[in-house]
Amino acid sequence: MDLQNRAEAGSDGHDESVLNPEMPNETDLTKKERRRIEKEKLKGMGTGKKIQYIWMYYKIHMLCVLLAIGGVCLGVNIYRHAQMKTVLSIAVVNAGNYDSEKVEEDVLKTLGTEDKYAEVSVAQNLMTDETGEDFDYYARIAYVTEIQSATVDVLIMPKELYEHEKDSGMYADLRETFGDEVFESLGAVDDQHLELDSSCVAEEFGLRYDPVCICLPGNVKNKENALKWIQSVLK
């Protein structure tokens, strides 16, 4: 192949050695020499050409960097999520419009935990059917699943629903759970629930029923925090 053909063939690859026989092939250059040549090429280009050139020849490197950054961010999020610990979980029946983030922050303050990985969970996917005395189909599934998996510590519901569910065996005996002295201080209506009339709880969760009934599932995990929160709303 003559010099002209070599120049035409090598123009797409920017091999300057075919145009200048004194310049060695780019594959024979050191990294420092290659960087110097790349800088000289970029100096003679306009902004648009520079962007096009950089994207054409360095897009793989850029994509690798972006993927690496994304992988690090994902790993950090997974790690932080794994470290989170639910210190109290509240399930609210027929919850209205409310600021869930503020409620969760307020409950954390009430509990006084200093653990930066502590979190409060509020479930609001429990709705009653048209009668108001039973869960609708999907809420029933969610309710049973959450109770059986011990992911709920406190249940907030209307009295009509409590009356329908009280013999299900799902609820904790508050006297046995907290002891006689604490139980008496709560002013519970019976061994399984207490009632709040026109309470701050109704306002906080946007509830439209009165009274508000509070129960604990039989397999409650965070009973101390549940008690601390209940005592705070009774004040």
Side-chain angles (χ1 to χ4, degrees):
M1 181 181 294
D2 57 24
L3 186 59
Q4 182 178 358
N5 290 336
R6 285 177 59 206
E8 293 175 354
S11 61
D12 292 338
H14 298 280
D15 187 353
E16 303 294 340
S17 65
V18 299
L19 301 177
N20 186 357
E22 295 181 0
M23 180 179 289
N25 190 291
E26 287 190 9
T27 57
D28 298 328
L29 298 174
T30 64
K31 290 183 178 180
K32 184 176 182 181
E33 289 171 331
R34 291 178 187 172
R35 286 196 298 269
R36 179 176 58 80
I37 292 173
E38 293 298 319
K39 287 180 181 180
E40 290 176 356
K41 290 177 182 178
L42 289 171
K43 283 181 182 179
M45 298 180 183
T47 303
K49 287 288 185 180
K50 284 181 181 179
I51 295 174
Q52 185 179 7
Y53 179 85
I54 292 171
W55 174 249
M56 182 179 297
Y57 291 99
Y58 296 101
K59 59 186 175 184
I60 300 300
H61 301 79
M62 295 167 67
L63 289 173
C64 288
V65 171
L66 291 174
L67 287 173
I69 294 173
V72 171
C73 293
L74 179 61
V76 170
N77 287 334
I78 292 174
Y79 174 78
R80 286 179 60 84
H81 183 73
Q83 296 298 307
M84 298 305 292
K85 177 184 177 183
T86 300
V87 293
L88 186 66
S89 178
I90 303 173
V92 186
V93 177
N94 293 346
N97 294 324
Y98 69 96
D99 188 339
S100 60
E101 186 173 337
K102 183 180 182 303
V103 169
E104 290 166 7
E105 288 178 358
D106 290 345
V107 175
L108 273 177
K109 289 179 183 178
T110 298
L111 299 180
T113 179
E114 297 181 357
D115 187 349
K116 65 179 181 179
Y117 293 113
E119 68 175 357
V120 170
S121 171
V122 178
Q124 49 184 323
N125 58 340
L126 302 179
M127 304 296 292
T128 56
D129 60 16
E130 294 179 357
T131 68
E133 298 179 355
D134 194 6
F135 290 109
D136 66 22
Y137 175 76
Y138 296 105
R140 171 65 61 182
I141 294 174
Y143 168 75
V144 173
T145 300
E146 289 172 357
I147 295 295
Q148 291 182 344
S149 60
T151 56
V152 173
D153 300 306
V154 177
L155 290 157
I156 299 174
M157 64 183 68
K159 186 171 183 178
E160 294 81 6
L161 181 61
Y162 168 73
E163 292 293 339
H164 184 271
E165 297 289 325
K166 66 180 181 180
D167 296 325
S168 65
M170 292 280 199
Y171 304 144
D173 185 309
L174 300 179
R175 187 184 294 275
E176 291 181 1
T177 301
F178 299 129
D180 290 337
E181 184 176 350
V182 173
F183 175 78
E184 295 298 336
S185 70
L186 296 178
V189 176
D190 59 30
D191 288 351
Q192 292 190 126
H193 88 293
L194 56 101
E195 296 179 7
L196 305 175
D197 296 317
S198 302
S199 69
C200 61
V201 173
E203 181 179 351
E204 195 166 36
F205 292 102
L207 307 179
R208 296 183 178 180
Y209 47 84
D210 187 17
V212 173
C213 294
I214 296 179
C215 309
L216 271 61
N219 56 358
V220 57
K221 291 171 62 177
N222 299 300
K223 69 177 183 179
E224 283 128 8
N225 286 337
L227 175 60
K228 190 178 292 187
W229 178 78
I230 290 172
Q231 288 173 328
S232 73
V233 301
L234 290 175
K235 292 179 181 179

